[in-house]
Amino acid sequence: MITVFENALLLDCTGAEPAENGWLTVDDGVIKEIGSGKAPIFREAEIVNCKGNTLMPGLIDAHIHLNLFDDNLAEIPRRDYPAMHFVKCLLVLKDTGEQGFTTVRDAGGVDAGFRVAVERGLVPGPKISVSGTSICQTGGHSDVRLSTEVAAPMLSPIPIGCVADGVAEVQKAAREQLRRGVDHLKVMAGGGCGSPADEPDTTQYSLDELKAVVAEASAVKKVVLAHTYSNSSMRLCVEAGVYSMEHGNYLDRATAQVLKEKDCWLVPTLSTYFYMSEHGEELGIPSYFLRKMKQVRESALEAVHNAMEAGVKIGSGCDMVGSGQPYKAMELELKARVMGPMGAILSATRENSKLMKREKQIGTLEAGKCADILLVRGNPMDDVALFQNRENLFVIMQDGCFVKKKL
């Protein structure tokens, strides 16, 4: 049946300003027509009166971790029965969709089975692309062993990291993830906060190792994401041909210019640092984790400013873990501090669709695109924080099907 949305404040996320008295029709999972004024009349159609509220594309989060459902990341492999890991990941996926995200990019952790399960309608949740297991060096980010441990990395039903050292090992690790049907590869190119044995302002992996991972991805027309904070690690990644820099909290003006010249994406993930820094003590996250989260938070907004100033392509991701998983929409409010409301919203819609190379299907409200649609209370251009209250999401539609309809 055709669905007609009428009397909407239309925010199509093409870059145009919101338009009053807008309408949109959906048929067979696709946006058929869009316009303003009097909506078309059909003999049989479901009418949704938007009552002046904002109709816009579904949100896209380009950096999530379904498998990081615990506040202490190092303990995840040690807790619960194996099946419980999968159940918890599925709960995070479902909850993400209920926050208004209709497409997501997992940045390391889950395999292609989650993508297939959503595509086949076996589980609820947003459309998802996956990295599989992140590739990391011994003692690097995603090697969750304490410096006092001498045992090999613990096996887990959903591994946090695949430890590989040297060109031959990283080639094999990359090929194994590609064999298992991932959409892109993730490499840990610098230190992180959640890993106990490294510091954020460092480099990990040599140029030859990074080039080897990129070569394997490029051979099958796929791209590489890199976890990185330091300017030195970002410069290595750019030279190696990495597609997108994740986090980038220490990005300075000079390195931002390098990213711009090489047409490399930056995906800032602000919300995880602000949320975990504020709530980390009450959540009981390890002291080393909290210290580093506070440390990288200090320059996070400046890094986004430097990227904007240089004209770097900026996507949007939350990187929320543990107790922060239900608060992914906080990212838009934080980005708006630097990018403004429109810039923040576009980064989580139009720009993320380009980042994921799916701009012909999602990211804007245009005829012929997937009917991934939100009806949001009021005008988010006036209050971008409203996405954080799920009661403000009256309608969530994904591929023409109502995930939520509460008017």
Side-chain angles (χ1 to χ4, degrees), residues 3-12 16-26 33-40 47-57 365 373-380 394-395 407:
T3 303
V4 179
F5 293 90
E6 62 181 15
N7 190 25
L9 180 65
L10 204 61
L11 178 58
D12 63 17
E17 291 298 317
E20 295 182 354
N21 199 25
W23 57 264
L24 180 148
T25 64
V26 173
E33 296 180 280
I34 187 169
S36 59
K38 187 174 178 60
I47 308 299
V48 179
N49 185 349
C50 299
K51 301 177 182 178
N53 292 297
T54 299
L55 197 68
M56 62 175 289
L365 297 182
I373 297 170
L374 297 184
L375 179 60
V376 183
R377 185 193 304 274
N379 184 355
F394 296 135
V395 170
L407 297 172

Side-chain angles (χ1 to χ4, degrees), residues 134-169:
S134 300
I135 302 170
C136 69
Q137 69 175 41
T138 297
H141 190 53
S142 283
D143 183 347
V144 296
R145 293 174 296 174
L146 298 170
S147 59
T148 53
E149 291 184 78
V150 295
M154 183 175 294
L155 295 177
S156 169
I158 303 179
I160 292 177
C162 170
V163 176
D165 299 300
V167 169
E169 285 192 11

Side-chain angles (χ1 to χ4, degrees), residues 5 28 43 63 77 80 87 100 102-103 116 144 165 189 213 222 224 236 269 283-284 294 326 328 337 348 357:
F5 293 90
D28 196 25
R43 180 174 297 177
H63 191 117
D80 287 325
V87 171
T102 52
T103 302
V116 174
V144 296
D165 299 300
V213 177
K222 295 183 179 181
V224 177
L236 278 174
T269 59
L283 296 174
K294 290 180 177 180
K328 292 179 174 70
R337 295 183 186 181
K357 300 185 179 182

Side-chain angles (χ1 to χ4, degrees), residues 26-219:
V26 173
D27 188 18
D28 196 25
V30 174
I31 299 171
K32 290 298 184 181
E33 296 180 280
I34 187 169
S36 59
K38 187 174 178 60
I41 298 175
F42 298 88
R43 180 174 297 177
E44 292 186 10
E46 180 173 8
I47 308 299
V48 179
N49 185 349
C50 299
K51 301 177 182 178
N53 292 297
T54 299
L55 197 68
M56 62 175 289
L59 297 174
I60 305 169
D61 194 312
H63 191 117
I64 71 165
H65 292 286
L66 296 182
N67 66 323
L68 301 185
F69 41 71
D70 197 293
D71 294 316
N72 187 343
L73 306 187
E75 287 300 308
I76 290 175
R78 300 174 173 89
R79 295 182 179 176
D80 287 325
Y81 295 102
M84 287 294 292
H85 289 254
F86 292 94
V87 171
K88 289 183 177 182
C89 288
L90 290 173
L91 290 174
V92 173
L93 182 65
K94 179 177 182 291
D95 184 73
T96 301
E98 292 171 353
Q99 294 178 57
F101 294 92
T102 52
T103 302
V104 294
R105 184 181 70 159
D106 192 273
V110 298
D111 64 28
F114 285 82
R115 182 192 68 227
V116 174
V118 171
E119 290 173 349
R120 294 183 182 177
L122 300 176
V123 298
K127 291 173 282 197
I128 180 172
S129 63
V130 300
S131 299
T133 304
S134 300
I135 302 170
C136 69
Q137 69 175 41
T138 297
H141 190 53
S142 283
D143 183 347
V144 296
R145 293 174 296 174
L146 298 170
S147 59
T148 53
E149 291 184 78
V150 295
M154 183 175 294
L155 295 177
S156 169
I158 303 179
I160 292 177
C162 170
V163 176
D165 299 300
V167 169
E169 285 192 11
V170 299
Q171 282 180 321
K172 185 173 182 179
R175 289 171 181 173
E176 176 61 21
Q177 295 307 311
L178 293 168
R179 181 191 69 81
R180 298 180 65 189
V182 299
D183 301 290
H184 44 261
L185 294 176
K186 171 75 175 296
V187 63
M188 301 305 195
C193 299
S195 45
D198 57 15
E199 292 297 321
D201 192 18
T202 58
T203 61
Q204 293 176 8
Y205 279 136
S206 67
L207 179 59
D208 286 343
E209 289 169 314
L210 292 170
K211 282 184 175 180
V213 177
V214 171
E216 296 303 326
S218 299

